[in-house]
Amino acid sequence: MARPRIKDVAQLAGVSEKTVSNVINDYVHVSDRTRRVVRQAIDDLGYRVNLAGRHLRRGRTGILALVVPELDLPYFAELANLIIAEADRNGLTVLVHQTRADREHELSALNGFGSDFADGVILSPLALVDDDLRNRRGALPTVLLGETLGAGQADHVAIDNESAAREATEHLLALGRRRILVIGGREAAGPGTAELRTRGYLSALAAANIPYDPSMLLPVRKFATPDGAAAIHTALESGARPDGLLALNDQMAIGAIRVLHERGLRVPDDVAVVGFDDVEAGRFSVPTLTTVAPDKAAIAGAAVGMLVQRIAESNAPASPTTAPPPPPHERVVPHHLMVRESTAR
């Protein structure tokens, strides 16, 4: 059966094709009766608006690319779900691409994948450097997530990772914990998420006049559940006796809690545990997980909103009086510490 066309709707409703188009586009100067008749014809025929054709007539594809390192990490899966919903509210489609933190894949996304299939990209980079942003080709409208890469070169949405980690560490200190391990910690001057969160941890220790022990940072290959489990297992085997644990994401925290249980250590009585990201699994773990909860809905809303605005600016016709686009925006979204059973008896 052939797909209904706009002229079929017009014929059934007894109106012109222009009138049908006006109803579809919510043109105000259409009577309520005509609008009802046209919408009924649309429903009866099962007519669907050709969004691709509409976008192409406007010089767009109607497609956004969402590029993340790992889709099997729940944080990115939950964030992708929210971004897709936000894009749908704007009449846009999202294609999701996974980079596995590979620099070549991230560069390809930054440069539009070598084609014009997407109007813009929301990118969470792990392997790119500032020069990659400065030297990118084509200047595809881009919003960066997570990292503070390329300050002032592209719109950026994130939480204040340093402040969030400081608050999480202060929470553990307020419970009387003094030997606090950091799974995923990385003491370096870089702008990465691990570095920023480690700096927050260190600043909380300094404010409490607690000496810093470099052996309390437990580096990992990947922010995944097995890596968290392996890190705490190695630390305990090496003689570490923590009374607090800050894992730089919830997956590693859940892995660590399992190992602590196997070693006969009680959470939170013996070791209080805090994670990051507030993913669903942490709300159902035993015990439930205290975590830094970023406002993921706000991240999604800000990222899509900023990208839609940049796409509109890039498609605006140029003229001698056209103002230059505004400089890149830095959007810091809220976070809060969600206290649950892993730190509260």
Side-chain angles (χ1 to χ4, degrees):
M1 183 177 179
R3 179 177 175 176
R5 296 169 296 177
I6 197 168
K7 72 175 185 179
D8 299 320
V9 176
Q11 184 176 359
L12 181 60
V15 298
S16 69
E17 293 181 30
K18 177 64 175 175
T19 297
V20 175
S21 178
N22 288 341
V23 172
I24 290 171
N25 291 287
D26 289 325
Y27 186 61
V28 293
H29 299 298
V30 178
S31 71
D32 290 341
R33 179 186 176 281
T34 299
R35 197 180 300 275
R36 286 195 301 272
V37 170
V38 171
R39 292 198 181 282
Q40 186 62 54
I42 289 172
D43 291 341
D44 291 345
L45 290 172
Y47 173 77
R48 291 180 298 167
V49 178
N50 186 344
L51 287 176
R54 178 187 292 181
H55 288 305
L56 288 173
R57 285 191 295 273
R58 296 174 180 174
R60 306 177 192 170
T61 66
I63 295 173
L64 307 181
L66 172 61
V67 182
V68 297
E70 305 277 355
L71 273 173
D72 54 357
L73 290 181
Y75 172 77
F76 289 115
E78 292 180 12
L79 185 60
N81 183 53
L82 290 166
I83 287 174
I84 289 168
E86 186 66 27
D88 186 61
R89 282 190 283 271
N90 284 271
L92 300 168
T93 299
V94 175
L95 296 183
V96 183
H97 178 69
Q98 178 177 256
T99 65
R100 296 288 184 190
D102 178 80
R103 183 168 177 267
E104 291 304 314
H105 283 84
E106 292 183 359
L107 279 172
S108 176
L110 188 65
N111 293 315
F113 301 97
S115 68
D116 294 325
F117 84 89
D119 295 327
V121 60
I122 298 172
L123 170 62
S124 180
L126 291 181
L128 295 181
V129 297
D130 284 354
D131 282 346
D132 295 327
L133 277 175
R134 281 190 285 267
N135 299 328
R136 59 181 168 154
R137 301 185 301 273
L140 183 73
T142 301
V143 174
L144 300 176
L145 301 179
E147 306 291 342
T148 54
L149 173 76
Q153 297 185 62
D155 293 327
H156 174 232
V157 182
I159 67 168
D160 185 336
N161 278 294
E162 185 171 344
S163 173
R166 184 171 61 248
E167 292 169 26
T169 307
E170 287 170 348
H171 173 65
L172 291 169
L173 293 169
L175 297 174
R177 310 306 166 112
R178 293 296 181 267
R179 302 183 305 280
I180 303 171
L181 293 175
V182 183
I183 298 182
R186 187 180 303 157
E187 187 183 9
T193 298
E195 288 86 353
L196 289 169
R197 292 177 182 176
T198 302
R199 287 203 286 274
Y201 160 79
L202 295 174
S203 68
L205 292 185
N209 294 315
I210 295 176
Y212 163 57
D213 179 357
S215 70
M216 303 300 273
L217 299 187
L218 309 180
V220 295
R221 182 185 63 85
K222 181 180 175 183
F223 276 30
T225 307
D227 297 76
I232 189 65
H233 174 79
T234 300
L236 294 174
E237 286 293 305
S238 300
R241 293 295 177 264
D243 58 9
L245 175 63
L246 174 63
L248 298 192
N249 80 351
D250 287 350
Q251 296 306 111
M252 294 191 295
I254 291 169
I257 287 173
R258 177 65 191 180
V259 170
L260 291 170
H261 170 73
E262 291 172 350
R263 297 290 294 258
L265 295 169
R266 298 165 299 166
V267 177
D269 300 77
D270 299 318
V271 184
V273 179
V274 180
F276 251 91
D277 295 339
D278 190 26
V279 302
E280 186 176 61
R283 299 167 215 158
F284 294 90
S285 62
V286 180
T288 55
L289 182 61
T290 293
T291 184
V292 174
D295 191 336
K296 292 190 280 286
I299 293 173
V304 173
M306 294 163 81
L307 191 56
V308 167
Q309 179 61 36
R310 290 298 183 188
I311 292 168
E313 292 166 359
S314 69
N315 281 285
S319 73
T321 60
T322 301
H329 297 294
E330 182 80 16
R331 186 76 57 83
V332 179
V333 301
H335 66 270
H336 67 278
L337 186 68
M338 183 68 70
V339 177
R340 298 195 182 104
E341 295 167 349
S342 67
T343 62
R345 290 186 179 86

